Amino acid sequence: MDTKDIGKPGSGKGVGFEIHRLMGELFPICRSITGDGFRRTLEILHRHIPLEVREVPSGTRVFDWTVPKEWNIHDAYIKDPKGEKIVDFRKSNLHVVSYSVPIHTTLSLEELKRHLYTLPDLPNWIPYRTSYYNQGWGFCLSHRQFLALEEGDYEVVIDSTLADGSLTYGEWLLRGETDEEILISTHACHPSLANDNLSGVGLATLLAKHMGAMPRRFSYRFLFIPGTIGAITWLAQNEHKTGKIRNGLVITGVGDRGDIAYKRSRRGNTEIDRAAAHVLGRSGQPYRLLDFHPYGYDERQYCSPGFNLPVGRFSRTPFGEYPEYHTSADNMEFVSADSLADSYEMIRSIIDVLEGNRVYVSRNQKCEPQLGKRELYSSAGANELPLLWVLNMSDGGNSLLDIAERSGLEFSALKKAADSLAKANLLEESGL
Ligand code: ZN
């Protein structure tokens, strides 16, 4: 991080701590794809950004899906044959399979085992399991604890409700100079898991907050939604708005200590894909560019063929490539403020490219204009090359990003050159 960034809102290491602090506040809440935990999460985000809370009733048809019943949980535990609570929802909300139906019964160990989930290869960690669309119930626990269970009768209590209600999500449209939109989407449906995806929720919130205080060319639509069903619901109910989406990012898993991995949109070569490749390519750190594949997070819905939106995914280590994924080890220690700050800065740089990318036309198409008499060269001549590239390529058919790719120069240097050429009345904007 540059020292010049200190004091600029939303920049530098400080933003990593801001995101980490917000994640820590959200961490204990038991969230699911519906229910009060999701609402409580949005209430906390609302202290930072004036997002609107939307409620979509259970039973609403959304393309091939139906908004499910609303699930809420108050308590859950297992008592061993001696009457001791050995698994307690209040100690970790991962202990209960999300969407478990209510139950209060006594079972033999053998019967109980059919409802227990563990990770034999990672015996100290509690897995995260869900059963959204198959009615059932279950508990998750460490394999070490599972192996210690003795024969006898176990009392099982899940004090939950599964009833008609609604699916809740948060949305904030931050208007810019134009109504073309950048979509920022993040899933907020997981319980106490830090990287997946409180990191994405925290980063998107602070991004929204700081973008709100800056001049903007584009409008920014921030969505805090339950994974899969939330994206499908939003797309089904807002299909008429999708034509305005010029670029978008799904933000998830941005706090672990691994390298950044950007997943391209289905179209593969959209402005956001190219902006991300440009920024990461000049970041000086290892990174990966992944081609689109139809598995992953909500990019699956935004990039379904009927929408095929220019939406990529920004993550660090992709899910499934780290053992902590979907386990109790994805905790607040697994994420770092440095990684969060780095992810934030990289996303901000990608947005800077999108904001600054324009097509210009040079007013001197026949031979170069005489720059010396306009004092456009620095004394050291260091700025000459970006000026010459912008002048030469600005025939109305190349954007600044095209010029950056072709010249190998940094976008920000070309943007600066274009700004000074425009100021000297040597360039005019041709749109884009
Ligand atoms: Zn997940």
Side-chain angles (χ1 to χ4, degrees):
M1 234 54 64
D2 269 345
T3 47
K4 69 174 162 49
D5 286 338
I6 290 172
K8 193 167 114 188
S11 284
K13 234 173 181 171
V15 75
F17 291 112
E18 281 182 272
I19 297 168
H20 200 269
R21 199 177 313 124
L22 174 58
M23 289 170 63
E25 199 178 350
L26 299 171
F27 189 79
I29 300 171
C30 183
R31 278 164 293 269
S32 186
I33 53 171
T34 61
D36 290 332
F38 204 108
R39 291 190 188 95
R40 175 89 193 106
T41 298
L42 296 181
E43 271 170 36
I44 292 172
L45 302 189
H46 196 270
R47 289 183 212 146
H48 296 269
I49 50 171
L51 55 77
E52 290 181 45
V53 177
R54 315 249 189 247
E55 301 278 355
V56 182
S58 304
T60 304
R61 291 283 297 183
V62 285
F63 296 122
D64 198 41
W65 298 60
T66 305
V67 172
K69 289 191 162 148
E70 180 177 326
W71 184 71
N72 283 291
I73 181 154
H74 312 103
D75 197 10
Y77 57 82
I78 302 173
K79 278 187 181 169
D80 71 7
K82 292 179 207 122
E84 277 175 44
K85 257 188 207 180
I86 51 158
V87 171
D88 187 352
F89 168 77
R90 289 170 194 236
K91 288 192 180 154
S92 168
N93 54 41
L94 298 180
H95 276 314
V96 175
V97 172
S98 192
Y99 261 69
S100 284
V101 295
I103 187 129
H104 186 179
T105 189
T106 300
L107 300 171
S108 69
L109 178 59
E110 203 187 320
E111 290 168 312
L112 174 65
K113 276 184 174 175
R114 278 187 236 134
H115 295 274
L116 300 183
Y117 300 88
T118 70
L119 296 167
D121 297 337
L122 299 163
N124 292 318
W125 297 351
I126 305 165
Y128 163 56
R129 291 278 184 279
T130 65
S131 184
Y132 303 139
Y133 304 104
N134 303 312
Q135 283 213 352
W137 62 271
F139 283 88
C140 300
L141 65 164
S142 73
H143 199 64
R144 184 184 44 73
Q145 190 179 16
F146 174 85
L147 292 177
L149 298 176
E150 290 167 10
E151 290 296 333
D153 289 336
Y154 287 79
E155 184 190 355
V156 168
V157 170
I158 297 178
D159 178 8
S160 64
T161 54
L162 185 60
D164 282 337
S166 57
L167 174 151
T168 310
Y169 68 90
E171 179 168 21
W172 189 35
L173 179 62
L174 179 59
R175 291 190 190 280
E177 283 167 36
T178 75
D179 61 0
E180 279 190 291
E181 291 180 11
I182 313 283
L183 175 72
I184 303 288
S185 177
T186 193
H187 66 279
C189 52
H190 287 21
S192 296
L193 297 172
N195 199 43
D196 179 21
N197 185 35
L198 291 177
S199 66
V201 171
L203 191 153
T205 304
L206 271 297
L207 180 67
K209 184 178 183 175
H210 295 307
M211 292 292 298
M214 296 187 31
R216 296 168 303 277
R217 180 171 154 212
F218 298 115
S219 297
Y220 289 78
R221 187 181 295 278
F222 292 89
L223 293 180
F224 300 88
I225 51 178
T228 307
I229 188 68
I232 293 170
T233 299
W234 189 84
L235 285 165
Q237 301 201 327
N238 296 278
E239 192 168 353
H240 58 289
K241 294 182 186 164
T242 57
K244 295 258 191 270
I245 297 172
R246 181 182 164 116
N247 285 294
L249 269 187
V250 168
I251 300 182
T252 175
V254 289
D256 66 89
R257 291 167 175 82
D259 301 332
I260 290 169
Y262 174 81
K263 178 179 168 183
R264 295 187 185 96
S265 70
R266 181 175 180 269
R267 281 146 65 178
N269 198 29
T270 62
E271 193 181 23
I272 183 93
D273 299 323
R274 294 167 57 203
H278 180 82
V279 166
L280 293 172
R282 277 150 191 81
S283 65
Q285 42 178 289
Y287 67 95
R288 278 187 291 168
L289 294 176
L290 309 173
D291 275 330
F292 179 78
H293 50 100
Y295 189 56
Y297 292 95
D298 288 327
E299 69 277 9
R300 292 158 65 167
Q301 314 310 331
Y302 300 122
C303 295
S304 56
F307 288 105
N308 206 14
L309 295 172
V311 174
R313 186 186 82 200
F314 187 99
S315 303
R316 301 192 78 87
T317 311
F319 71 95
E321 291 186 21
Y322 56 98
E324 294 84 356
Y325 171 72
H326 279 192
T327 76
S328 54
D330 180 3
N331 55 30
M332 290 301 293
E333 283 71 54
F334 182 63
V335 294
S336 86
D338 280 350
S339 293
L340 291 163
D342 181 63
S343 299
Y344 180 93
E345 288 294 332
M346 223 54 84
I347 290 171
R348 279 294 301 272
S349 300
I350 294 169
I351 288 175
D352 281 348
V353 171
L354 300 176
E355 285 275 327
N357 192 27
R358 291 173 193 266
V359 174
Y360 293 94
V361 179
S362 166
R363 292 185 193 274
N364 296 272
Q365 294 288 314
K366 291 181 177 164
C367 298
E368 295 169 358
Q370 193 183 349
L371 297 181
K373 70 181 181 192
R374 296 182 172 90
E375 292 174 353
L376 280 163
Y377 286 133
S378 74
S379 50
N383 294 326
E384 188 177 338
L385 211 47
L387 291 169
L388 295 178
W389 271 103
V390 170
L391 283 169
N392 185 283
M393 301 292 287
S394 290
D395 57 4
N398 295 300
S399 69
L400 288 183
L401 188 52
D402 293 326
I403 304 171
E405 288 172 344
R406 183 147 174 191
S407 66
L409 296 174
E410 197 152 343
F411 183 89
S412 55
L414 295 164
K415 171 77 173 66
K416 216 170 135 197
D419 287 346
S420 41
L421 290 167
K423 209 170 149 202
N425 209 26
L426 292 171
L427 279 188
E428 62 185 326
E429 225 181 282
S430 113
L432 193 110

